[in-house]
Amino acid sequence: MQSPNKSALSHRDQADDVRPLAVQEQLDLGPFKITPQQLQQIFHLNTRRSTCEELDYLVQQGGIDWLIDGLHTSIKDGINDDQDQRIQVYGHNKRIVRPPQTYCELLWNALEDFTMRVLLIASIASIVIEVATADNEHRHLAWIEGFAIFVAVLVCTNVAAMNDYSKEKQFRKLNAASEKSKIVAVIRNKQLIQIHEEQVLVGDICKLIEGMEIPADGVLLDASDVKVDESSMTGETHSITKGTINQCLKQKWELQDEGVQFGEQDRFKIPSPALLSGTRVLEGEGLFLICVVGDLSCLGRRRCNNNLINLLETPLQVKLTMIAEDIGKFGLISAVLIFFVLMIRFAIERGIANEWDHSKHWMEILNFIILSIVVLTVAIPEGLPLSVTISLAYSVQKMMDDKNLVRKMYACETMGGADSICSDKTGTLTMNKMVLTKIWNKQFYEIDYLAKEQNLSQLVSKSMENLFLEALCCNSSAELTPESGSKTEIAILEYLQKARIDYRRMREQVNFIKKNPFSSARKRMSVIVDTKHNGLPVKRLYIKGASEIIVQSLTHMHTYDDQKLKLGVKDIQEIERIISQMAKQSLRIICVAYLDLRGDEDLQKMNGKVYDIETQDLTFLGLFGIMDNLREGVKDAVTKCKQAGIKVRMVTGDNSETARAIAMNCGIIEQGDGQAIVIEGAEFMKEVGGVVCKNCTTELCKCAKSSNEAEKNGTSLRVDTLGNTSRFRQIYPQIAVMARSRPTDKYAMIIGLKECEHIVAVTGDGTNDAPALKKADVGFAMGKAGTQVAKDASAIILMEDNFSDIVKAVMWGRNIFQSIRKFLQFQLTVNVVAVGFTLISSALLKQDVLKPIQMLWVNLIMDSFASLALATEPPSEILLKDRPYSRSESIVTNKMIKHIIGQAIYQLAVILVLVFLAQEFIPEYADDYDDVIRDRIQEKIEEDSDFVFEQSSLYHPKYNTDYYPESLKIRSGRFLTVTSENDFEDIFNEFRVPSRHYTFIFNAFVFMQVFNFINSRKLNDEINVFANMCNNLMFVLIVFFIIILQIILVTFGSLAFSCYSYYGLTIQQWVISLIIGLVGLVVSFILKLIPEQHICPKTQNAESKTLDKKPSGILELRRGSSLRKKQSMHVDQPPIQDNHIQLIEK
């Protein structure tokens, strides 16, 4: 078995394969004293550490003083010198973006399609053979049909290239939007400023906050409980503790004094001061010094080795690919069958006739091959995955307009089936604009939060003021300019700012000894400072946190008139009553307290994550009531979710009373709803038995947390489940609110809901929300309040942190599913008709009624145009009246099957009637072709005196009967009769004019598709198929574009498109084609009156099995396969460690 860190070591070795850019040996350092190589050595040692090599190296060089002096910077003031010189020596942090693929490259990718290449070769062969074997009279026209196929291939590949180009352009727009959020705070010229991470320079003093991504390699200068996720760079799955050089040295000496022996598995027992670029801060805060930037940093070297974005198929694409595979197999079998039927018939005929004409019969065999390939081309619906891609890309762009930034494309479609939403309160249901409205200390103090100024003297006495201000200013990590940190803390600082208090000056007046940051597990934060009381130095603990938790540790109260009172049981009960009273007013209550230390306390002793010093003999300073108003439209959005069959649960850190009040305000709990439960996180975990490993049934186990780790170490993969699932099933339907929730509680709720077969969406903003965001089917991170870790774990980012935007995401998700179904209904109908008709006609007539060029045009209509038109249908709120889609729900419904079968029967019947009986009822009219025929017949008579027109194979070249103007009918275009007797073939060879008969059939076939295209807009048997059509301008334009292009092709296509050469069809024939298409609307109406159960009996759904199938590769013969191949080449590469929008999580 390999050691636990073997995976991590190999991962690091891969990262180091790409060497730093070469640095000139005689580099002019200017005012600086440290070379870039010396700085890189720190982080090179860190990535390969066995104990603490980088720490020893830093100490050997001179520690922080060496770095500060050598880089010509200041911890307090930052850099203030010429930045150009600094860039010249150490480089910049700007990333070189991979240029997008050019249109020509995308076109070449499309030409890698196997079928397109075969058709391309066949078109060239057709030109060569036709031209070589044609007689002198017709040689100048012989190249046209082959060249037309060549042009059709170019059109198809160009359409594919344009789709890919448009898609990549959209993705890059999304990436650019995400790049804007990469802002860090640095000290420069004595000021704390915000800059984009690409602007940081070596020597910058950068502020470290929970959740941030480290922009460049750096060394910690100040650290409070800093833990970092280095899995992206070193492969370590556990959080890594970081500290300043002095903190790390202290830990090292303590371990050495204890006689600890270090092995490879202990290489992180001694914390490291080195921060690697691209890693994430999980906990803590501090300052760090930027040391290595750009391509020389750890992230920069990784980027050099990994420049490609991985785009994997979404679950819906996988489902559709499976359907496409089945249809493709049918098409492949049909194509082979058609070829063998034609060849068998050809062989029998040649055997009976006992003749062989090279110029004729080789061309005939080539036509058989082309026809079979075209059938395969039409049958394989590569437009299905293309439709999903277009629909998702379009939806992603439109969701951006709705303030939803999609990071993982599968989330768009998954939201269509979401039936449960676990939403945070702060910033999602509420505005996240906190204001201090009420303070309680012995009595209530109302705060006019709308006032521009506040008078602190009306609140606290002068002798009490310093203590009050230190408690609020020093025990806070928030900043007002630029604004950062907890919104709760910002509300308090804004109140002080209105009272003309400089909170930064208050912080500078004290000496910070220890900081214990807030976390959702601790529910409190504290600082220990050296300050003064009555002129004498004193060491003091300031603490604030959840009111009902802090109140349990209170022993005294310090009133605002500077009296210190001992608290009894009744006093504590009174404070608890006030807390409950404020909570019912939807206020978030923060309790502030302090403790004067004697000096002999153990500051490190902990119980879990809470220090003992934080739970003893605290003196009460006040309850601070902070209001966060509901967002506009939240109540309406919650109501819409309920109508859509979606259960909304609020998960909040507030106490039960506050949580219930807010839930009632926003409609999650309705007035008089006695069934709704408000449960606290701790109680919920006790009820459901917590989260345990499914294999070991224990909370803690040795199972691997990732598949890679399991494979490397030979251990089982941990699968989380609830300890008491049966109890969860009993209580979860009534749970409306989870109060005093921790991230682990939210995570447990998601596990339970998913085990009950729900599709779960969840919101989160904190670093500790990352597991829940990943576990949920769709994770929503807050764009404004969310940490970077939460954003990276999410599938969608709410740019405005607004719950109403989740409802829009639900609409788009359902709309995508509907759009794909519309496209599927349309395309399957075309596939069945095209393949069925070609098979019948080729078997009976040994002829392709619809020529390859015409079939390619139909293929273009039903793949590219249809996918673009039907996949861009905008959503409607009517979608919210439907129930959510289940995980196993089939894409093809019985209603769809009913319409597919009904329309296919109608279209096949019409085409077969037209092929065999059109000459009996389709009218024909005189035109210039009559003169050509007359002149040609006259020439024939003059050339051959024995030529008798009425007895020749050229008799009736245009009309079905003799010329009677009142009853002219169209001439059959069948080359041979069913009994293989000559019919139209000699006429075509003589005049080289395609028959109007087959031109009419081609036109009627296209018009039936156009009107079935319109029918496919409605899936639920809605009578009015034209309703809201104008809302989708793309659909209207594409329908008109197809019709106009069809008119042009039929009228002027001539021999190139196998259409009648004398302006195609007559007005009367166009009207008949139009009527045939319109009858499709009537057929659709009749089908809507027939219950689908009469056509397709209900069967058990086997859709869930399809995901276990693997594509056989048939689709790889078609367009888009080259793109998928290129993607698959990079699937195993390490993930990109920047803030690119990872549209699909690997």
Side-chain angles (χ1 to χ4, degrees), residues 353-531:
N354 194 25
E355 64 171 347
W356 180 266
D357 184 345
H358 286 291
S359 63
K360 178 181 178 182
H361 296 136
W362 280 118
M363 192 62 212
E364 202 169 337
I365 293 174
L366 179 63
N367 284 333
F368 294 164
I369 295 173
I370 293 175
L371 177 63
S372 301
I373 293 172
V374 170
V375 168
L376 182 63
T377 302
V378 174
I380 295 178
E382 81 282 1
L384 291 181
L386 177 65
S387 177
V388 182
T389 302
I390 292 175
S391 183
L392 290 177
Y394 172 78
S395 299
V396 164
Q397 185 61 47
K398 291 297 182 181
M399 286 174 74
M400 270 288 286
D401 298 337
D402 288 338
K403 307 303 179 184
N404 284 308
L405 175 61
V406 180
R407 298 183 63 255
K408 299 169 186 175
M409 197 182 280
Y410 72 84
C412 299
E413 67 194 50
T414 307
M415 276 308 295
D419 58 6
S420 186
I421 298 176
C422 297
S423 174
D424 283 350
K425 181 210 76 175
T426 305
T428 310
L429 298 172
T430 60
M431 295 175 65
N432 200 21
K433 180 58 180 173
M434 306 283 194
V435 288
L436 182 63
T437 62
K438 210 171 267 192
I439 300 175
W440 188 88
N441 181 305
K442 203 73 174 169
Q443 68 180 68
F444 276 113
Y445 298 88
E446 300 289 341
I447 307 297
D448 181 7
Y449 62 90
L450 296 176
K452 293 183 178 180
E453 293 186 356
Q454 301 289 348
N455 190 348
L456 198 62
S457 62
Q458 294 178 357
L459 180 65
V460 296
S461 62
K462 193 70 178 176
S463 58
M464 173 70 179
E465 186 177 297
N466 194 67
L467 173 64
F468 179 81
L469 293 177
E470 281 189 1
L472 298 182
C473 297
C474 299
N475 188 23
S476 172
S477 60
E479 295 283 349
L480 294 182
T481 51
E483 186 175 298
S484 63
S486 163
K487 297 293 184 180
T488 304
E489 294 183 5
I490 289 172
I492 295 174
L493 292 183
E494 285 179 338
Y495 165 75
L496 296 178
Q497 189 179 55
K498 289 181 179 180
R500 297 180 297 281
I501 302 299
D502 186 346
Y503 68 91
R504 287 180 178 170
R505 186 178 62 82
M506 293 299 302
R507 293 174 183 175
E508 292 171 357
Q509 288 178 357
V510 301
N511 178 35
F512 289 93
I513 299 171
K514 193 173 192 306
K515 295 181 181 179
N516 303 314
F518 178 87
S519 74
S520 54
R522 287 165 39 79
K523 297 290 184 186
R524 73 200 82 197
M525 69 182 296
S526 64
V527 293
I528 300 174
V529 300
D530 279 331
T531 184

Side-chain angles (χ1 to χ4, degrees), residues 180-361:
K180 294 178 182 178
S181 65
K182 297 182 180 181
I183 303 299
V184 295
V186 300
I187 300 173
R188 281 188 187 172
N189 299 319
K190 303 181 181 181
Q191 291 184 337
L192 183 67
I193 62 172
Q194 285 190 325
I195 60 174
H196 193 273
E197 67 167 31
E198 290 191 349
Q199 294 176 294
V200 299
L201 300 174
V202 171
D204 268 326
I205 308 299
C206 189
K207 189 173 181 181
L208 182 118
I209 59 174
E210 180 183 305
M212 76 178 293
E213 177 186 350
I214 305 300
D217 298 342
V219 173
L220 275 167
L221 304 174
D222 179 37
S224 298
D225 295 335
V226 175
K227 289 186 178 179
V228 175
D229 175 12
E230 288 190 351
S231 59
S232 59
M233 296 304 298
T234 65
E236 290 296 332
T237 56
H238 304 290
S239 60
I240 308 298
T241 301
K242 299 289 183 177
T244 64
I245 292 178
N246 289 337
Q247 290 170 342
C248 297
L249 281 174
K250 183 180 178 182
Q251 182 73 11
K252 176 184 177 182
W253 294 334
E254 288 175 357
L255 292 171
Q256 286 176 341
D257 291 343
E258 294 172 8
V260 175
Q261 299 296 318
F262 297 102
E264 185 185 327
Q265 68 274 14
D266 304 314
R267 60 198 189 92
F268 289 110
K269 275 194 172 181
I270 300 174
S272 171
L275 297 173
L276 304 182
S277 53
T279 59
R280 300 287 184 190
V281 181
L282 298 178
E283 296 178 20
E285 57 186 30
L287 293 174
F288 67 100
L289 173 67
I290 301 292
C291 295
V292 181
V293 295
D295 290 341
L296 302 181
S297 67
C298 294
L299 179 57
R301 285 181 284 149
R302 172 65 58 81
R303 282 172 176 163
C304 291
N305 197 35
N306 188 3
N307 288 324
L308 295 176
I309 301 172
N310 298 329
L311 303 174
L312 304 182
E313 287 187 332
T314 72
L316 183 56
Q317 281 176 313
V318 172
K319 285 184 178 183
L320 290 176
T321 300
M322 297 308 154
I323 293 176
E325 283 288 326
D326 294 335
I327 301 170
K329 288 174 183 175
F330 165 71
L332 183 61
I333 294 170
S334 299
V336 172
L337 187 60
I338 287 169
F339 180 74
F340 276 106
V341 166
L342 290 171
M343 285 301 298
I344 290 170
R345 180 168 177 169
F346 176 78
I348 293 172
E349 289 175 351
R350 297 284 64 75
I352 294 174
N354 194 25
E355 64 171 347
W356 180 266
D357 184 345
H358 286 291
S359 63
K360 178 181 178 182
H361 296 136

